[in-house]
Amino acid sequence: MAGKALVIGASHGIGPAVVKALAVKGWQVTATYRSIAPQADAQWHALDIGYDPSALGTAAGSAA
């Protein structure tokens, strides 16, 4: 069953693989990044909650 996913910190570490794996399975993925240009497979939002805590609500609203 595919659904919606919000992947925070998706441009580093295991994040890109998580985004790709979910997208391949048909999930609607909303992903966030701090400073690296995003890849395909998701709807991307710049997010640095240390700088702008309200940005998390914007990204979460997109995943809803």
Side-chain angles (χ1 to χ4, degrees), residues 5-54:
L6 173 61
V7 182
I8 298 173
S11 61
H12 286 92
I14 65 169
V18 171
V19 169
K20 187 167 189 77
L22 290 169
V24 166
K25 292 183 179 185
W27 284 69
Q28 179 183 342
V29 181
T30 300
T32 68
Y33 65 96
R34 186 182 308 176
S35 61
I36 300 295
Q39 293 82 40
D41 300 325
Q43 179 181 27
W44 289 86
H45 297 275
L47 174 66
D48 186 347
I49 59 174
Y51 176 72
D52 183 7
S54 68

